[in-house]
Amino acid sequence: SEIFALRGMESTIEKFKPVIIIELSEDVSKNTGIDGNEIVLFMMNRQYTMKRIFKCGHTGVPGESKSGYTNFVFFPDGKTDSD
């Protein structure tokens, strides 16, 4: 699951502040027992802002996905998709 990968690269995230793209899925959450909110909190605690990636490629405020799969981009605070 993504949370394990994020924890494994925690020092890299802290040092280099990369932009990170993650797909969150209701199915994966159910199968692994990992809540997507855990990932969001992990990133927010490291001063990241989350935006949803829409099919057209634009980013915006996260909302509910009808498909159950949603791609998100996490930007370090102070950096945006226009940078």
Side-chain angles (χ1 to χ4, degrees), residues 21-42:
I21 297 174
I22 297 176
E23 179 182 70
L24 297 178
S25 157
E26 292 173 15
D27 291 339
V28 172
S29 292
K30 288 177 187 173
N31 292 335
T32 62
I34 303 291
D35 184 0
N37 290 326
E38 187 175 350
I39 294 168
V40 173
L41 287 174
F42 178 92

Side-chain angles (χ1 to χ4, degrees), residues 2 5-6 9 13 18-24 39 43 48-54 57 59 70-76 81:
E2 286 85 350
L6 291 170
M9 59 187 262
I13 292 170
V19 173
I20 298 174
I21 297 174
I22 297 176
E23 179 182 70
L24 297 178
I39 294 168
M43 297 304 295
Y48 272 74
T49 301
M50 176 177 79
K51 289 190 178 181
R52 181 175 175 191
I53 303 173
F54 295 98
T59 60
T70 305
N71 292 314
F72 295 96
V73 60
F74 291 87
F75 295 100
D81 53 350

Side-chain angles (χ1 to χ4, degrees), residues 56-74:
C56 62
H58 295 240
T59 60
V61 177
E64 193 165 323
S65 170
K66 294 181 178 147
S67 68
Y69 294 88
T70 305
N71 292 314
F72 295 96
V73 60
F74 291 87

